[in-house]
Amino acid sequence: MWKLHAPYLDLSHRMATDFDLVILGAGPAGCATALAAIAAGVERVAILDRPARQAFRVGESAAPDVVAKLRLLGISDDLEARGHRPYYTNLSLWAGERRFDDFLHRSTGDGWHLDRERFDEDLRQASCVRGAQLLTPAVLESLRWDSGEWQLQITYQGKQHLLCCRYLVDASGRRAALCRRLGIERKRLDDLVAVACKWPNAGRLEGITLVESVADGWWYATRLPDGSALLALMSDAALVRQKGLRNRETFYALWAQTEELQQWLQPTRRHALSLTCFAAYSGFVTRAAGPGWIAVGDALAAFDPLTSSGISNALGDGLAAAPVITDWLHNNGLHAAEQYAFRANRGVTRFLREWQGQYSLERRWSDHPFWAHRCEAMPI
């Protein structure tokens, strides 16, 4: 269990500069890696966080296995007590077929509608309580590998600092800041974006996450713990620009044309829309780990939001990264890194197969750019 509301360490005047492990990113993947590494005996851990400027967070639907992974990280699995709400089924209208995918029938336990800000903050608090030093806001300016250690030039609270560490984790999300600096190739499969808003009333979406395919992409809607709804139109960036999908009137009109969504969430004009665009593309790096470094979460592989697997994968990567980190710190070993790479390859291969299979079911708009691209053979 973590102690709630533990203050972050004020390191502005007494900041340590030598660490065993430095993690770039304080999202679920970065914090899970910190928690798992500390539990495995890694003592000097720092997390560098560069908070994103976003109107709100997306990624509110979590798979049932998130609870088990939190338990493995030593975190309370009583998500309801922390303000999150269970959900029981995914409702989809896809390829003209209406389908309920009920978790009860799969005996996997409930999914979760998360308060993402609270979920992420709790993970950061837990990491600090266990001993990680969270440096925020911190910007990585440069790095180099020298004589078996990393030297990082950072800007933290407006001042320049030089940090040294033996191991470095890329948990920086889709931008994959470390992998990019190391020259690791990242394959990008599409240009999916989410045009999203919060809607004051979740309507009939209690316990449900809804997906509906349309000509230029698909709709996603889910209830948030505070009773509002997250609504997003998923499409390609070029189509969003060409068709003005960020225009409120266009968004309203397309919402009103849906067959299933409008039955659960009414597009009334009593509430003003405030639309925000989020990156949601799929992609993966071609190397998962190497001497003194590893990639986790979206920095390793970002999967289509249709899978609702982002948070589960982030926590799972953190758990899987811990033996890789300790193998290097204790032995300069890479055997665990090889196993981690095999695991990542299996995950990407499975995703590509399921991703292409799911999109290929929708044949009504096969000549439309959004669907035509996803029916093509994708690189592995």
Side-chain angles (χ1 to χ4, degrees):
M1 307 292 179
W2 64 74
K3 183 171 69 174
L4 301 179
H5 309 303
Y8 297 145
L9 296 177
D10 179 7
L11 300 175
S12 56
H13 300 295
R14 53 187 178 83
M15 189 177 76
T17 58
D18 294 317
F19 296 94
D20 294 314
L21 174 65
V22 170
I23 299 167
L24 307 181
C31 290
T33 304
L35 289 164
I38 290 169
V42 180
E43 295 181 349
R44 300 177 300 165
V45 178
I47 306 173
L48 308 186
D49 188 33
R50 184 182 184 181
R53 296 179 180 176
Q54 297 176 330
F56 54 89
R57 298 298 308 274
V58 292
E60 281 75 9
S61 292
D65 65 348
V66 162
V67 169
K69 290 174 180 177
L70 289 173
R71 196 178 301 128
L72 290 172
L73 289 167
I75 301 297
S76 171
D77 59 2
D78 191 356
L79 289 175
E80 198 158 9
R82 297 297 300 143
H84 313 293
R85 296 183 65 87
Y87 87 94
Y88 314 105
T89 190
N90 292 310
L91 168 61
S92 62
L93 181 61
W94 197 272
E97 180 182 354
R98 187 172 187 261
R99 179 182 176 187
F100 281 94
D101 182 12
D102 195 325
F103 293 133
L104 179 63
H105 294 157
R106 290 194 281 163
S107 302
T108 56
D110 300 329
W112 290 91
H113 286 157
L114 299 178
D115 178 336
R116 268 304 300 276
E117 290 187 6
R118 189 170 203 176
F119 184 83
D120 289 4
E121 178 64 13
D122 282 346
L123 286 173
R124 287 191 290 268
Q125 292 281 355
S127 300
C128 292
V129 169
R130 301 284 174 82
Q133 297 185 4
L134 177 62
L135 309 184
T136 183
V139 178
L140 175 65
E141 304 291 356
S142 64
L143 63 86
R144 68 182 183 129
W145 175 256
D146 183 34
S147 302
E149 71 173 12
W150 294 100
Q151 296 181 1
L152 287 67
Q153 187 74 38
I154 71 167
T155 299
Y156 168 58
Q157 295 187 346
K159 298 180 180 179
Q160 297 289 311
H161 299 273
L162 179 65
L163 305 185
C164 298
C165 68
R166 296 182 58 203
Y167 205 92
L168 199 51
V169 176
D170 192 344
S172 62
R174 281 180 167 86
R175 62 191 179 96
L178 172 61
C179 291
R180 188 177 68 250
R181 288 175 182 269
L182 296 178
I184 307 299
E185 181 186 3
R186 185 174 179 90
K187 291 187 178 292
R188 182 162 170 166
L189 303 180
D190 58 34
D191 290 309
L192 190 69
V193 296
V195 181
C197 68
K198 281 190 173 181
W199 193 247
N201 189 334
R204 299 168 56 207
L205 289 173
E206 176 73 29
I208 292 173
T209 290
L210 183 149
V211 168
E212 178 176 350
S213 57
V214 291
D216 290 320
W218 50 275
W219 288 90
Y220 167 90
T222 191
R223 185 190 188 279
L224 301 177
D226 64 3
S228 65
L230 175 68
L231 176 63
L233 176 57
M234 316 297 295
S235 188
D236 285 332
L239 290 174
V240 171
R241 292 190 298 270
Q242 292 167 10
K243 301 201 171 188
L245 302 184
R246 290 191 67 174
N247 178 276
R248 285 182 291 182
E249 293 303 315
T250 303
F251 191 89
Y252 263 125
L254 292 175
W255 181 1
Q257 292 169 19
T258 59
E259 181 179 344
E260 189 70 39
L261 173 60
Q262 67 167 314
Q263 303 300 319
W264 296 83
L265 195 64
Q266 291 290 328
T268 63
R269 294 178 182 264
R270 293 193 303 271
H271 308 294
L273 277 176
S274 179
L275 299 173
T276 304
C277 206
F278 297 91
Y281 57 85
S282 300
F284 55 92
V285 290
T286 54
R287 288 185 63 192
W293 71 272
I294 193 170
V296 297
D298 284 349
L300 172 66
F303 295 154
D304 193 303
L306 197 61
T307 67
S308 292
S309 63
I311 295 173
S312 176
N313 288 346
L315 301 181
D317 286 352
L319 287 161
V324 182
I325 295 167
T326 55
D327 186 26
W328 179 264
L329 293 179
H330 295 159
N331 310 308
N332 280 353
L334 288 172
H335 176 71
E338 292 172 355
Q339 297 304 309
Y340 182 83
F342 291 144
R343 170 188 176 274
N345 191 66
R346 289 194 301 269
V348 169
T349 301
R350 182 173 61 251
F351 162 72
L352 288 172
R353 182 175 61 250
E354 295 174 356
W355 181 81
Q356 196 167 5
Q358 182 64 34
Y359 276 104
S360 66
L361 292 174
E362 184 54 84
R363 297 292 186 182
R364 292 175 293 175
W365 303 291
S366 59
D367 58 339
H368 285 57
F370 180 88
W371 298 98
H373 170 68
R374 286 159 177 81
C375 290
E376 298 171 357
M378 300 307 300
I380 296 180

